[in-house]
Amino acid sequence: MKPSLAAVLSDRDGWFVAGLIGVLVFLAVIAMSAVLLVGSIAERWQDELASRILIQLSTASDDAPGAAGADGVSPETALQVQQALELLRAQPEVARAERLSQDRLAVLLQEWVGSQQALQSMPLPAVIEVELRPDARKRATELRERLRTALLHARIDAQIDVRIDGGPATQAPALRLMQGIEVLAILVVVVLAATLATSVVFATRTGLSRHQDAVEILHLLGADEAGIVDALTFGALRTALIGGIAGLVIGWLTLLAFGRLAAGAPYKMTSHCP
Amino acid sequence: MSRLVQSEPVARFEQVGLRYRSGPEILRDVTLTLPAGSFHFLLGPCGAGKTSLLRVLYLALRPSRGRFSLFGQDVAAAPRAELVPLRRRIGIVFQDFRLLPQLSVQDNIALPLRLGGRDEEAIRSDVAPMLLRTGLTGLAHAFPPELSGGQQQLAAIARALIVRPRLLIADEPTASVDEPLALRLIHLFQELNRLGTTVLIATHNERLASGFNHPRLRMEAGRIVQEGTVPVDSPPNVRPPVGSSTSVQEALP
Ligand SMILES: Nc1ncnc2c1ncn2[C@@H]1O[C@H](COP(=O)(O)OP(=O)(O)OP(=O)(O)O)[C@@H](O)[C@H]1O
Ligand SMILES: [Mg+2]
């Protein structure tokens, strides 16, 4: 490309556009990496949640004072747990079915209840943790219903309160929040991309009208339409490119810095002293 | 030396009228022929329509009425794309120079060549002698706003001559330079004319035009009122003798 031809239609205002584009690209990089980060966290959560189904068993006898045995539930419930475990382990989708120890249950519940004291005064139910095979994870919700029916059929019903936890929709408000953030960040990226495209088009158009005189001279000196378009778009493209690359580099450096902060890795000072 | 008889005129105006938007008619019934290889001065008072006539000639404006053909092609209704090759055969010196302020003097001069798709090597070898010719070598890398009016005029002329045009249209090309330089410039145009370029120079400067043995066209209020070398209403001895170019040579610095 002829450098001087592009120079005809470039000017200082072009640098304002370049700066604008740089800022937009910077924001897009940050938003985009937020999308990727939140997305990957949400996916991992979702995967973990979907791979586990928690089944809570309890009988009316659990609520009676002193009914609980050494493992924290009544013998009646313990028996039901045993039956349920056998039934669950027979399911093809189930990789592992285990009753949660009371300690782990306490830790899990603490996250939702908040305090250790409140937990101690509560009777803890028996909870079976079912881990699904990877290929069954996507069908967690459907499987939950199947397991419920199977348990009912095995007469682990009537007085047994079977509650199956699991599945992203019912389980995790935090996950929903994450997905909300993800959607928001995608929206931000889309809006930024649209703004970027608009500002390039706008810059080219104002360039054309601002350079009307130069364009006329070029015509009279024998420029064809292609030559004029070349000069215009090359100029706009070059400023856009410079702005874009600057935004990209700064965005990338910012992410790098954040990555270091997150990893808690301070910059190491290398000492040359013995 | 026998010259080929070129029957095809470079430009022909027939009953051309021009108005700017809905304003009054600025050119009225202009009928004019520029034979190939001719050299004309176009004279007339301010606002007579000289620049407007030249604008039609260098294809910046289309006539509002009448017929106009350039290099044998009727351009009144020609599509834009067809005008490009015609424009590349024309050298224009604008009255207001119209140099591009973002480009250095040498890039301004090289611009028509670049637009014509010439390679950089050839451009360099053409621009350097042209800079020398117009005394702008020292200002090659300067930008138009840093130049004096006369220097800008020289750059504008260099840009018009660089393409070795078949038609040179110069609008007041000597308005910003001193008398000796003006004479030198006209000589430069004459040199080009001897090589076959058709030349039309619009100027206020009657004295300058009368120092040369070239036909003078006179415009008044949008009409060509007088055509030919010999003024109709003045005795022939007003015009300098044919050999007057020697006296012009004496005036050169
Ligand atoms: N772009 C334009 N729009 C409207 N009217 C114009 C335009 N350009 C020129 N005119 C008018 O056309 C008339 C002729 O102008 P033109 O520039 O052709 O005269 P000129 O003979 O070149 O004058 P000068 O010797 O001062 O250069 C003037 O009355 C002027 O006002
Ligand atoms: Mg004029």
Side-chain angles (χ1 to χ4, degrees):
Chain A
M1 175 70 202
K2 305 137 196 165
S4 71
L5 211 56
V8 174
L9 303 172
S10 69
D11 52 344
R12 282 195 200 88
D13 289 13
W15 295 108
F16 171 75
V17 176
L20 188 71
I21 288 169
V23 170
L24 289 174
V25 169
F26 170 77
L27 292 175
V29 167
I30 301 295
M32 197 63 214
S33 55
V35 169
L36 295 177
L37 183 72
V38 171
S40 78
I41 290 175
E43 198 174 305
R44 216 164 56 219
W45 281 18
Q46 190 167 0
D47 223 36
E48 262 173 29
L49 286 171
S51 68
R52 273 190 309 160
I53 292 179
L54 296 177
I55 299 172
Q56 182 188 321
L57 303 169
S58 63
T59 56
S61 55
D62 285 335
D63 295 336
D71 53 359
V73 291
S74 66
E76 199 181 329
T77 306
L79 184 69
Q80 298 277 19
V81 167
Q82 210 45 51
Q83 285 174 348
L85 281 176
E86 277 163 29
L87 188 143
L88 288 167
R89 281 168 186 157
Q91 302 295 323
E93 291 92 343
V94 173
R96 202 177 57 85
E98 220 71 66
R99 187 185 158 194
L100 283 183
S101 74
Q102 294 302 93
D103 289 347
R104 252 203 85 196
L105 189 60
V107 170
L108 267 180
L109 286 176
Q110 198 186 337
E111 277 176 27
W112 300 99
V113 175
S115 88
Q116 193 84 49
Q117 275 88 1
L119 267 181
Q120 265 156 9
S121 62
M122 281 166 71
L124 294 184
V127 172
I128 296 173
E129 185 183 34
V130 179
E131 196 178 299
L132 300 180
R133 293 186 190 284
D135 55 340
R137 285 173 191 180
K138 296 234 159 61
R139 289 174 283 129
T141 314
E142 168 204 328
L143 186 64
R144 183 177 57 179
E145 292 312 310
R146 282 235 333 273
L147 290 180
R148 184 203 293 279
T149 327
L151 288 170
L152 284 172
H153 272 291
R155 301 182 63 76
I156 311 179
D157 52 0
Q159 12 15 5
I160 301 174
D161 171 27
V162 177
R163 207 175 79 222
I164 303 177
D165 289 327
T170 56
Q171 177 79 13
L175 180 66
R176 265 177 291 165
L177 182 68
M178 290 287 250
Q179 287 169 333
I181 292 173
E182 197 182 354
V183 169
L184 196 71
I186 289 173
L187 269 174
V188 168
V189 171
V190 168
V191 168
L192 285 174
T195 313
L196 203 61
T198 315
S199 58
V200 169
V201 168
F202 181 72
T204 310
R205 284 211 347 216
T206 50
L208 194 60
S209 65
R210 199 149 24 88
H211 298 303
Q212 203 174 359
D213 196 49
V215 168
E216 198 202 344
I217 295 170
L218 292 180
H219 267 133
L220 294 177
L221 296 183
D224 48 20
E225 297 303 320
I228 302 240
V229 169
D230 258 14
L232 268 180
T233 50
F234 183 81
L237 219 67
R238 193 185 50 173
T239 30
L241 213 67
I242 291 171
I245 288 172
L248 211 64
V249 168
I250 296 171
W252 181 69
L253 288 176
T254 308
L255 290 180
L256 218 65
F258 266 99
R260 282 206 177 251
L261 283 180
Y267 294 93
K268 267 195 210 140
M269 301 285 279
T270 11
S271 169
H272 296 288
C273 303
Chain B
M1 190 181 96
S2 71
R3 268 179 91 170
L4 275 172
V5 179
Q6 291 174 288
S7 51
E8 188 80 81
V10 162
R12 189 202 299 275
F13 293 78
E14 282 173 67
Q15 302 287 309
V16 165
L18 175 78
R19 54 176 86 239
Y20 290 99
R21 269 164 249 110
S22 56
E25 203 159 53
I26 299 300
L27 295 183
R28 288 184 243 170
D29 297 319
V30 172
T31 298
L32 173 68
T33 301
L34 294 179
S38 63
F39 191 124
H40 286 88
F41 285 107
L42 179 62
L43 297 160
C46 283
K50 302 182 295 295
T51 297
S52 301
L53 180 71
L54 297 192
R55 281 187 188 139
V56 173
L57 188 58
Y58 59 68
L59 305 175
L61 296 173
R62 291 183 199 248
S64 315
R65 62 181 177 85
R67 288 165 58 87
F68 170 56
S69 65
L70 192 64
F71 301 118
Q73 190 172 338
D74 187 348
V75 291
R80 281 168 73 103
E82 277 181 24
L83 303 181
V84 173
L86 300 181
R87 283 181 175 137
R88 289 186 180 168
R89 291 189 241 167
I90 306 174
I92 314 167
V93 181
F94 298 98
Q95 186 167 9
D96 50 356
F97 316 140
R98 307 193 78 174
L99 297 168
L100 294 167
Q102 308 93 326
L103 298 186
S104 67
V105 167
Q106 79 176 11
D107 282 338
N108 262 289
I109 294 172
L111 190 57
L113 297 177
R114 292 211 165 95
L115 292 172
R118 284 277 283 284
D119 64 272
E120 291 298 314
E121 189 84 25
I123 289 173
R124 258 192 303 280
S125 67
D126 275 7
V127 171
M130 186 55 75
L131 285 166
L132 206 62
R133 203 82 196 265
T134 45
L136 291 169
T137 306
L139 295 168
H141 301 285
F143 289 84
E146 303 160 7
L147 303 183
S148 75
Q151 289 164 338
Q152 290 183 39
Q153 182 126 58
L154 287 170
I157 289 169
R159 185 179 65 183
L161 300 187
I162 194 81
V163 291
R164 296 184 194 122
R166 280 189 57 195
L167 172 61
L168 176 72
I169 303 163
D171 199 351
E172 307 283 357
T174 59
S176 301
V177 297
D178 55 39
E179 200 70 17
L181 187 50
L183 287 171
R184 234 169 64 200
L185 288 173
I186 303 294
H187 283 291
L188 193 59
F189 298 154
Q190 283 182 316
E191 207 178 298
L192 203 68
N193 177 243
R194 277 196 287 275
L195 296 170
T197 298
T198 304
V199 177
L200 179 62
I201 299 171
T203 179
H204 287 107
N205 195 333
E206 303 264 352
R207 212 162 59 85
L208 183 77
S210 65
F212 293 88
N213 185 27
H214 295 297
R216 278 160 274 164
L217 305 165
R218 191 173 302 275
M219 277 202 93
E220 256 165 49
R223 292 178 196 275
I224 302 275
V225 293
Q226 190 184 335
E227 196 173 341
T229 322
V230 185
V232 178
D233 54 356
S234 48
N237 65 354
V238 169
R239 191 173 63 85
V242 175
S244 70
S245 60
T246 46
S247 65
V248 168
Q249 291 291 345
E250 281 158 22
L252 277 167

